[in-house]
């Protein structure tokens, strides 16, 4: 078997020391397969100066990187437009952020066709070849590939929530997008809820024939399965155990000078619930004056999609909320909210995970949320407060689960986490670590690829 991976981004980046592989769950999971068995990685090209075809590594290539060059206008309409102003908000049930523009879908169609053409040019027409497409950027590509190569083996993994049929059908192009996805032999989602939502969408909107886990449409049968994704557990475990991380964690605790540290780590995205979380922490301080000066909330917000107006507005609102809370409660030697709008490496994040007494991970909606798993792996004694509207909530029942819209509930969960007896904390964390080990990203990739030949 060789593998063709089709994703929005390529897995390598140019540094001062030459070309390096990128850090990320997908790269971590799939590069070993490509390096071992050979293949192609197709992704968009944002820089016209980079080669369209690039064997990697250069000296002794294991696989080929194939770029699909995009103009600034194409990038704006396909990526910032259709992907991030249409598919992202509708999948997360935040339809107030929808921008339904014809130029978005028109460019999305043409870019998906070009991705499909690149796959057809680079992927061998071989029965043992697997074409594995990733995520919401490439919904139409499977159908294009299937039309040109009827016997191809095509899979798709959807990394965000698939919404309920009643929400997905809001899109004027919902049926076209479904038809594109149903060019696949296998589609994977994180949890069964998303599987069920997709199958219902196909049944109602396309009048497709469905069974418990298959959809048959225009002669093509597609299996739809839950394949929850994880992190590289061994890597995070090793990083968090280094002396440098331990020292950084101790210095953070010393610098903040409080008995308790609660962390939040997210991209600055309206789906992550950061504003609601800040308001809940404010309510916690109002209701629990005994914790004034004794607890610090450390929120890291990684810049994201800074060209999109809704994200710019969110940054302004978060800045205002942080200022309001600190203005009301701060006193000498105590800042209740420490807010950092910047990017940290995964190694640096391990120090925050290790220093924290609790993690507040409360997205309004999330496909899985791997930050949850990073925290569980790195922490030695921390409590996890987790939104019940994440895919992770199905798999991590030992977390303190909350409705992210319930700010009274969130405030109560913070108090519960900080006051949790040591024995209960250890018991919950032991079970959480066991679950995260089972979700390891290498196991995820292996299970998905095995599913092509061993149907459930």
């Amino acid at each position: 078997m060789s593998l063709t991976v089709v994703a929005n981004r390529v897995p390598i980046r140019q540094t001062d020391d030459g070309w390096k592989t990128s850090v990320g769950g997908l790269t971590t999971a799939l590069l070993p397969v490509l390096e071992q068995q050979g293949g192609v990685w197709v992704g968009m090209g944002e820089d016209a100066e980079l080669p369209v075809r690039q064997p990697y590594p250069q000296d002794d290539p294991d696989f080929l990187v194939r770029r699909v060059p995009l103009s600034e206008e194409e990038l704006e309409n396909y990526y910032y437009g259709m992907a991030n102003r249409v598919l992202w908000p509708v999948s997360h049930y935040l339809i107030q952020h929808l921008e339904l523009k014809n130029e978005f879908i028109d460019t999305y169609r043409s870019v998906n066709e070009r991705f499909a053409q690149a796959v057809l040019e680079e992927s061998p027409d071989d029965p043992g070849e697997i074409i594995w497409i990733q995520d919401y950027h490439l919904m139409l590509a499977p159908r294009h590939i299937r039309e040109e190569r009827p016997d191809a083996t095509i899979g798709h993994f959807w990394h965000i929530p698939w919404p309920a049929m009643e929400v997905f059908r809001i899109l004027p192009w919902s049926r076209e997008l479904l038809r594109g996805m149903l060019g696949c032999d296998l589609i994977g989602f994180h949890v069964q809820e998303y599987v069920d939502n997709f199958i219902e969408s196909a049944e109602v909107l396309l009048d497709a024939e469905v069974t418990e886990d298959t959809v048959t449409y225009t002669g093509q049968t597609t299996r739809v399965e839950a394949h929850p994704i994880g992190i590289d557990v061994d890597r995070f475990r090793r990083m968090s155990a280094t002396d440098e991380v331990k020292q950084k964690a101790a210095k953070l605790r010393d610098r903040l000078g409080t008995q308790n540290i609660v962390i939040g780590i997210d991209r600055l995205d309206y789906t992550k619930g950061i504003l609601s979380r800040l308001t809940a922490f404010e309510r916690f301080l109002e209701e629990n004056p005994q914790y004034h000066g004794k607890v610090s909330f450390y929120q890291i917000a990684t810049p994201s999609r800074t060209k999109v107006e809704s994200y710019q507005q969110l940054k302004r609102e978060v800045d205002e909320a942080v200022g309001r809370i600190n203005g009301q409660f701060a006193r000498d030697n105590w800042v209740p909210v420490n807010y950092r709008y910047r990017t940290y490496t995964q190694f640096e994040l391990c120090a925050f995970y290790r220093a924290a007494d609790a993690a507040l991970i409360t997205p309004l909606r999330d496909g899985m949320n791997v930050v949850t798993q990073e925290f569980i792996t790195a922490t030695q004694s921390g409590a996890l407060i987790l939104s019940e509207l994440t895919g992770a909530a199905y798999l991590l029942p030992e977390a303190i689960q909350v409705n992210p819209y319930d700010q009274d509930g969130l405030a109560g969960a913070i108090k519960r986490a900080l006051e949790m007896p040591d024995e209960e904390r250890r018991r919950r964390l032991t079970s959480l670590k066991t679950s995260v080990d089972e979700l390891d990203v290498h196991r995820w990739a292996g299970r998905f690829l095995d599913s092509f030949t061993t149907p459930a």
Side-chain angles (χ1 to χ4, degrees), residues 38 41 83 104 165 179 200 221 224 227 255 314 376 379 428 456:
W41 190 302
F104 290 171
M165 181 276 297
R179 285 193 289 268
E200 183 183 12
T221 296
V224 190
H227 288 272
R255 179 164 60 83
L314 175 63
I376 291 168
T379 188
R428 286 173 178 263

Side-chain angles (χ1 to χ4, degrees), residues 87-321:
L87 296 174
W88 180 264
V90 81
S91 295
H92 290 85
Y93 294 77
L94 295 170
I95 59 175
Q96 67 269 31
H97 294 284
L98 273 177
E99 298 180 37
L100 300 174
K101 297 182 179 180
N102 288 332
E103 57 264 37
F104 290 171
I105 184 62
D106 289 343
T107 306
Y108 188 84
R109 290 182 182 119
S110 64
V111 169
N112 270 246
E113 286 184 27
R114 289 172 56 200
F115 266 86
Q117 187 58 42
V119 171
L120 292 167
E121 291 172 2
E122 305 295 351
S123 172
D125 188 358
D126 186 303
E129 176 71 8
I130 290 177
I131 299 167
W132 191 1
I133 299 168
Q134 307 292 327
D135 227 353
Y136 58 101
H137 310 88
L138 298 164
M139 297 180 74
L140 299 177
R143 177 62 61 181
H144 292 304
I145 297 169
R146 177 69 62 199
E147 289 172 352
E148 295 296 322
R149 198 174 289 176
D151 296 327
T153 301
I154 307 171
H156 193 295
F157 191 82
W158 185 266
H159 290 264
I160 63 176
W162 187 278
M165 181 276 297
E166 293 88 348
V167 175
F168 183 70
R169 77 185 307 172
I170 291 170
L171 298 182
W173 321 290
S174 58
R175 292 169 177 82
E176 176 185 359
L177 295 167
L178 278 170
R179 285 193 289 268
M181 294 278 286
L182 291 173
C184 293
D185 298 283
L186 174 66
I187 299 174
F189 296 95
H190 289 301
V191 294
Q192 191 63 38
E193 176 191 333
Y194 310 154
V195 170
D196 294 343
N197 288 347
F198 179 88
I199 289 175
E200 183 183 12
S201 297
E203 182 176 28
V204 173
L205 300 181
L206 295 180
D207 197 27
E209 180 184 341
V210 306
T211 64
E212 185 175 342
D213 63 352
T214 66
V215 177
T216 301
Y217 181 71
T218 61
Q220 171 69 36
T221 296
T222 303
R223 283 185 292 117
V224 190
E225 300 176 348
H227 288 272
I229 198 170
I231 63 169
D232 187 343
V233 174
D234 286 342
R235 178 169 174 268
F236 269 90
R237 188 179 288 132
R238 290 195 304 269
M239 283 194 300
S240 64
T242 62
D243 289 339
E244 185 178 351
V245 164
K246 292 177 184 178
Q247 291 166 6
K248 286 179 179 292
K251 286 180 180 178
L252 177 62
R253 292 195 69 91
D254 289 343
R255 179 164 60 83
L256 293 179
T258 52
Q259 296 175 16
N260 300 287
I261 299 174
V262 180
I263 60 167
I265 296 176
D266 310 87
R267 287 186 306 104
L268 188 64
D269 188 291
Y270 52 73
T271 67
K272 300 301 182 183
I274 296 174
L275 272 175
S276 180
R277 184 183 313 162
L278 286 167
T279 304
F281 185 69
E282 182 178 25
R283 191 160 301 177
F284 166 79
L285 294 177
E286 291 170 349
E287 296 174 353
N288 298 278
Q290 71 273 24
Y291 276 99
H292 292 188
K294 296 181 180 179
V295 61
S296 295
F297 180 45
Y298 209 110
Q299 175 65 58
I300 292 172
T302 303
S304 177
R305 298 167 187 162
T306 54
K307 293 183 179 181
V308 179
E309 169 57 31
S310 58
Y311 287 74
Q312 297 168 2
Q313 176 63 26
L314 175 63
K315 182 179 184 302
R316 292 190 289 268
E317 293 172 352
V318 169
D319 290 343
E320 291 170 2

Side-chain angles (χ1 to χ4, degrees), residues 13-20 56:
R13 56 192 172 86
Q14 197 168 23
T15 70
D16 293 338
D17 298 324
W19 287 95
K20 304 289 185 183
Y56 184 84

Side-chain angles (χ1 to χ4, degrees), residues 369-402:
N369 192 287
V370 294
V371 169
T372 302
Q373 298 180 42
E374 293 174 4
F375 171 74
I376 291 168
T377 303
T379 188
Q380 300 304 298
S381 59
L384 173 63
I385 303 167
L386 178 62
S387 166
E388 65 184 6
L389 301 183
T390 64
Y394 287 93
L395 305 160
L396 304 172
E398 299 84 5
I400 300 172
Q401 297 201 10
V402 292

Side-chain angles (χ1 to χ4, degrees), residues 428-449:
R428 286 173 178 263
L429 185 57
T430 297
S431 295
L432 289 169
K433 286 180 178 288
T434 299
S435 297
V436 169
D437 286 348
E438 288 297 315
L439 292 169
D440 184 272
V441 72
H442 299 288
R443 296 186 182 187
W444 166 79
R447 283 192 294 262
F448 191 91
L449 292 170

